[in-house]
Amino acid sequence: MAAIIELRGASKTFDDTPALHPTDLTFERSRTTALIGPSGCGKSTLLRLIVGLLSPSAGDVLFEGERLSDDNLLQIRRRMGYVIQDGGLFPHLSARQNVMLMPNHLHLDSAEMKQRLGELCELTHLPEDALERYPVELSGGQRQRVSLMRALMLKPDVLLLDEPLAALDPLVRTSLQTQLKEIFQRLRQTVIMVTHDMAEAAYLADTIVLLDSGRIVQSGSFQDLRERPAAPFVSEFISAQRALVQI
Amino acid sequence: MIRLLLLTALLVLSCELHAAQTVVVGSKKFTESYVLAEIAKRKLTQSGFDVVHKQGMGGTIILWQAIKGGDIDFYPEYTGTIVEEILKSRAKLTSADMRRELRRFKIGMTEELGFNNTYALVMRREQAKKLGIESISDLRKHPDLQVGLTHEFLNRQDGWGPLSRRYNLHMANVRGVEHTIGYSALANGSLDVKDAYSTDAKIAEYNLIVLKDDLGFFPQYKAVFLYRLSAPEKAIQTVESLSGTISEEKMIQLNAEAERTKNYARAAGLYFAGDHTGNVADLQPSVASQIGHWTLQHLRLVGISLILAVIAGIPLGIAASRPGPLSQTILGVTGVVQTIPSLALLAVLVPLMGIKPQTAILALFLYSLLPIVRNTASGLQDIPTPLRESASALGLEPLACLRKVLLPMASRSILAGIKTSAVINVGTATLAALIGAGGLGTPIISGLDLADAGLIMQGALPAAALALIVQWAFDFCDRYLIPKGLRLQRAI
């Protein structure tokens, strides 16, 4: 299957400190990839390079084989959905206005968009009356659902999630994990997510990319990582996140 | 039918009235200048002109700029000042010389009005009579008299030193005394001789006499009117008709009346005493309508300058919100402008732009910039990075991103900046009166010059009220201009 996003020797350095060493990585369609690792491992830098919020110090980031540049950035971003930790909803807009911001800006067919909004409410389990509320009036879980709706509104080719569930309490988080998995499967969505929770990655992702100190340590399924660790760090990282049943 | 005819007649009449030419009379910031300008105003009004009196516009330089620039058509001036300050001549000039020089600036000069407002020495009338003193020369016979002089007069080139040498005076007791205190000292007998302006109202009030300058030491400060040669011929003739009609005694009397009543039109009315062509009370607008007029002028100054500052300040603030040398330059320059004292800023702008409301508006505009620029920049900078990144990641064009996302999120800070500018502006605009741009500063500055607390309050109280109203108005507007989501955020 063709890669939708590809990193070719892409690296990022901040003031002589490398955040990401030259990296080759491909993301395939309809698959969920989790970028995981300890704080400062370069996973968020990698995601920012893909959205074009950062430009690589060396190497290239390609979207469908096209190099990300100032000329195509806006168009490519409209084909991506981006969700951050606490939702990134704009406080001056209601939930509906947040979700409809881009469709309205692009003057997309309103009847079609209205229908899409209804579908997404159903898909994300957001009660429709919550759409009229402002971000500050929504719960943490609702904010993430609205943010997800905003990201999915234009039917993006790829959904990018930066620790989307990290700020939620465990109950909400678990139920959202279940729902996310459902959504990803129903939409056959290409997903790239950053997380620091191995259990979440194992549950949601087809491929796990484990990073440490700006380098990829191992990339593969959870089984691969657990059973055939490429380095002692891999086993260390997996076992550090002990499950309660082990206590 | 008759009604219709009457109406038509009225209409024609009112058109006729509106067709009257407008002439502008200016005055300097002291009583005598106000009174002379009021006399000219009344005379011109009688001749059928619409007359505007721009009161107390400033000092010689400002009035001269104003008449040269066409902001005013007439103002009262003194021959000594014309020679020394306007023409900057060291030679003695005759009237003909002065007229020739002034013509180069397209300015004309009337014949002398009839009095000389120069330095003079004054004494109590009955003491002078008793000692037989009529002229300054007579002081030689009485070297033991107590002389109290203003510090300025003691040190002037045309002051006491040269005067006493010229008259060969050897007064034993000479000291420096403040002007107003000097008059009280003269009245109660602790002083015998003091310096004064020859048309000072106090001369009549304290029953003093002006000692004759028999050796012609003091320069001549004969009052005249300056006028634009392009002013209507009939108006020039009307003002010219004032020449030779105001003696020193008359001027002293008019000044005394003006200082007593603080009503210049009424004082000017004394000049026309016995001339029953107009009612003085009609010519003096009511206090309320005056305040209303000043307030409107004030609002115009504040409103225009503020709108311009918003139009320029928000883009500058957006540019300044991005890190880099441009940001530092913008914030640096607007910051420096803010530190220039307002008077100094006006002084710099007047030679460049002249005396007009636009000059004041430019100064107010410059003062209004900093709060708007700074608050726009900081409002944008304070948007959390994740939100800013979320906005970029949507794929909005930079301008649309600013308009739909970033500026609304910074709106609270931007509006606070505009509010600060508006309130400061209401206060600073009182200084516009210094350059004749009107507004509520007009009565404040006149009041300060005349030590008239009532007059000061006519400007100060409405200005203070205006500042409060502006503040409330903005607080009220916040409800509509700050997006609801942001207001909820603050409330929770």
Side-chain angles (χ1 to χ4, degrees):
Chain A
M1 210 184 288
I4 180 161
I5 290 169
E6 189 180 353
L7 271 70
R8 282 194 197 148
S11 67
K12 186 67 193 177
T13 307
F14 294 110
D15 300 329
D16 297 336
T17 313
L20 188 70
H21 290 283
T23 298
D24 293 311
L25 190 60
T26 52
F27 298 91
E28 279 165 19
R29 282 185 196 277
S30 304
R31 292 182 70 87
T32 299
T33 308
L35 306 174
I36 193 166
S39 300
C41 70
K43 55 189 192 290
S44 283
T45 303
L46 210 162
L47 196 71
R48 281 185 168 72
L49 286 174
I50 294 172
V51 202
L53 289 171
L54 296 174
S55 51
S57 307
D60 289 319
V61 178
L62 293 89
F63 186 90
E64 291 187 333
E66 201 181 337
R67 200 176 143 268
L68 243 63
S69 70
D70 287 347
D71 297 331
N72 58 22
L73 193 57
L74 283 186
Q75 294 308 321
I76 289 178
R77 276 176 175 169
R78 290 177 188 171
R79 299 174 59 189
M80 298 177 174
Y82 184 59
V83 176
I84 59 170
Q85 185 167 329
D86 49 10
L89 295 180
F90 306 129
H92 64 293
L93 300 177
S94 68
R96 178 192 300 276
Q97 290 167 328
N98 264 284
V99 176
M100 293 299 288
L101 183 62
M102 283 311 287
N104 286 341
H105 177 67
L106 300 173
H107 305 291
L108 299 179
D109 179 67
S110 61
E112 197 181 313
M113 286 301 128
K114 209 173 164 190
Q115 195 193 340
R116 174 97 182 129
L117 197 64
E119 288 166 15
L120 287 175
C121 271
E122 196 193 328
L123 189 70
T124 58
H125 301 270
L126 185 86
E128 285 215 29
D129 60 342
L131 283 176
E132 308 315 321
R133 293 192 213 138
Y134 285 90
V136 73
E137 300 169 306
L138 298 171
S139 69
Q142 286 173 330
R143 274 202 286 270
Q144 287 313 84
R145 289 170 210 273
V146 174
S147 183
L148 195 63
M149 285 172 68
R150 185 173 72 183
L152 290 172
M153 197 63 197
L154 297 184
K155 299 193 176 169
D157 292 302
V158 54
L159 184 63
L160 302 160
L161 310 172
D162 192 355
E163 308 234 18
L165 309 177
L168 301 176
D169 69 65
L171 279 177
V172 178
R173 187 162 158 183
T174 311
S175 92
L176 257 173
Q177 281 171 350
T178 316
Q179 288 164 15
L180 275 181
K181 188 161 179 132
E182 244 177 70
I183 294 169
F184 297 167
Q185 286 172 350
R186 257 174 80 179
L187 300 177
R188 296 181 49 77
Q189 183 70 51
T190 311
V191 180
I192 303 172
M193 66 182 299
V194 166
T195 177
H196 59 261
D197 179 348
M198 189 52 103
E200 188 172 285
Y203 178 66
L204 289 171
D206 308 306
T207 307
I208 293 174
V209 179
L210 177 64
L211 291 107
D212 184 35
S213 311
R215 286 181 216 279
I216 297 177
V217 184
Q218 189 172 0
S219 169
S221 68
F222 181 63
Q223 255 74 16
D224 289 340
L225 266 65
R226 192 174 54 186
E227 288 159 20
R228 289 174 289 281
F233 174 76
V234 179
S235 309
E236 258 170 56
F237 191 82
I238 293 174
S239 58
Q241 307 211 350
R242 75 168 67 84
L244 276 175
V245 284
Q246 292 174 318
I247 297 171
Chain B
M1 189 62 200
I2 293 177
R3 256 191 212 169
L4 198 69
L5 274 177
L6 267 175
L7 260 176
T8 318
L10 265 176
L11 268 175
V12 170
L13 200 66
S14 64
C15 287
E16 199 85 309
L17 284 174
H18 278 289
Q21 275 179 291
T22 300
V23 294
V24 184
V25 182
S27 60
K28 294 194 194 179
K29 286 198 308 164
F30 56 87
T31 307
E32 188 168 291
S33 196
Y34 281 42
V35 174
L36 288 172
E38 280 297 326
I39 291 174
K41 175 180 175 180
R42 178 122 169 226
K43 198 87 181 170
L44 285 163
T45 308
Q46 287 172 2
S47 298
F49 289 95
D50 271 346
V51 189
V52 177
H53 175 191
K54 289 197 173 178
Q55 284 195 353
M57 295 171 71
T60 305
I61 302 303
I62 288 185
L63 271 290
W64 174 243
Q65 295 279 358
I67 198 167
K68 259 199 323 183
D71 298 318
I72 56 176
D73 301 304
F74 296 91
Y75 86 90
E77 189 51 281
Y78 302 90
T79 51
T81 310
I82 295 172
V83 173
E84 283 172 28
E85 288 190 51
I86 293 177
L87 301 176
K88 300 196 193 313
S89 167
R90 297 192 149 266
K92 287 217 162 192
L93 300 181
T94 64
S95 300
D97 295 335
M98 286 159 68
R99 283 205 176 82
R100 197 177 54 242
E101 291 290 310
L102 289 169
R103 184 168 284 279
R104 291 196 292 129
F105 302 102
K106 302 195 168 32
I107 301 296
M109 182 178 97
T110 63
E111 294 295 327
E112 291 158 12
L113 299 182
F115 69 90
N116 182 15
N117 182 357
T118 183
Y119 274 111
L121 295 184
V122 293
M123 289 184 73
R124 285 186 304 283
R125 185 179 294 276
E126 87 282 7
Q127 189 195 23
K129 209 171 201 174
K130 202 170 72 189
L131 298 177
I133 300 175
E134 286 179 355
S135 65
I136 298 176
S137 299
D138 294 337
L139 288 176
R140 266 194 297 257
K141 294 175 281 182
H142 302 278
D144 49 349
L145 286 173
Q146 299 286 332
V147 183
L149 304 168
T150 57
H151 295 92
E152 189 194 349
F153 186 72
L154 268 177
N155 297 314
R156 271 177 77 103
Q157 291 293 322
D158 54 354
W160 179 251
L163 174 85
S164 48
R165 275 194 296 281
R166 177 74 181 277
Y167 276 97
N168 199 20
L169 298 177
H170 297 283
M171 307 305 284
N173 309 298
V174 180
R175 59 197 140 143
V177 181
E178 195 274 328
H179 194 55
T180 322
I181 296 172
Y183 274 118
S184 328
L186 193 60
N188 71 22
S190 42
L191 285 180
D192 302 311
V193 179
K194 98 165 236 77
D195 59 318
Y197 294 106
S198 54
T199 55
D200 215 325
K202 298 283 193 300
I203 293 173
E205 192 180 332
Y206 291 110
N207 194 20
L208 308 175
I209 68 155
V210 174
L211 299 185
K212 213 165 157 257
D213 180 16
D214 47 337
L215 297 185
F217 172 80
F218 289 119
Q220 299 287 301
Y221 284 85
K222 303 268 179 70
V224 293
F225 267 92
L226 291 184
Y227 56 85
R228 288 178 63 75
L229 292 171
S230 61
E233 185 57 31
K234 191 176 160 205
I236 295 173
Q237 280 168 11
T238 304
V239 174
E240 190 73 66
S241 74
L242 293 171
S243 54
T245 63
I246 308 172
S247 67
E248 259 145 60
E249 291 76 46
K250 189 81 188 173
M251 197 64 235
I252 291 172
Q253 188 199 356
L254 300 182
N255 285 340
E257 178 69 8
E259 289 193 7
R260 193 175 63 77
T261 62
K262 311 293 182 200
N263 185 333
Y264 308 106
R266 180 193 301 246
L270 274 188
Y271 169 86
F272 296 91
D275 170 358
H276 298 292
T277 49
N279 187 334
V280 169
D282 291 343
L283 287 176
Q284 182 76 3
S286 75
V287 171
S289 79
Q290 280 268 24
I291 291 177
H293 175 65
W294 291 322
T295 305
L296 279 182
Q297 282 183 327
H298 207 84
L299 282 173
R300 201 177 59 136
L301 291 171
V302 172
I304 296 176
S305 59
L306 190 67
I307 289 169
L308 292 176
V310 170
I311 292 172
I314 292 180
L316 284 172
I318 293 168
S321 71
R322 292 164 189 167
L326 181 64
S327 158
Q328 283 160 14
T329 312
I330 293 172
L331 290 174
V333 170
T334 47
V336 165
V337 169
Q338 198 78 3
T339 62
I340 302 174
S342 26
L343 268 178
L345 186 61
L346 284 177
V348 171
L349 292 178
V350 162
L352 299 175
M353 296 188 53
I355 309 293
K356 46 190 170 189
Q358 286 91 319
T359 310
I361 287 172
L362 177 64
L364 291 172
F365 160 77
L366 290 172
Y367 272 111
S368 306
L369 271 183
L370 182 66
I372 298 176
V373 171
R374 202 179 40 203
N375 276 38
T376 304
S378 67
L380 289 171
Q381 284 162 351
D382 287 347
I383 296 173
T385 311
L387 278 183
R388 191 185 295 278
E389 288 188 347
S390 289
S392 304
L394 283 176
L396 281 170
E397 294 83 358
L399 267 182
C401 186
L402 257 179
R403 196 165 54 82
K404 296 193 171 175
V405 180
L406 301 178
L407 285 177
M409 281 202 271
S411 59
R412 186 186 294 280
S413 173
I414 296 172
L415 279 170
I418 297 174
K419 177 159 61 182
T420 307
S421 281
V423 173
I424 292 177
N425 218 338
V426 169
T428 315
T430 52
L431 291 173
L434 284 174
I435 57 166
L440 289 164
T442 312
I444 296 180
I445 285 160
S446 302
L448 284 173
D449 287 337
L450 307 169
D452 179 348
L455 196 54
I456 293 174
M457 286 304 150
Q458 286 181 24
L461 291 180
L466 207 56
L468 282 175
I469 291 168
V470 165
Q471 172 102 28
W472 287 330
F474 272 92
D475 288 343
F476 186 74
C477 286
D478 278 0
R479 281 190 226 166
Y480 296 94
L481 293 174
I482 295 179
K484 187 180 171 202
L486 294 182
R487 279 180 281 125
L488 287 170
Q489 203 174 28
R490 173 107 139 206
I492 286 173

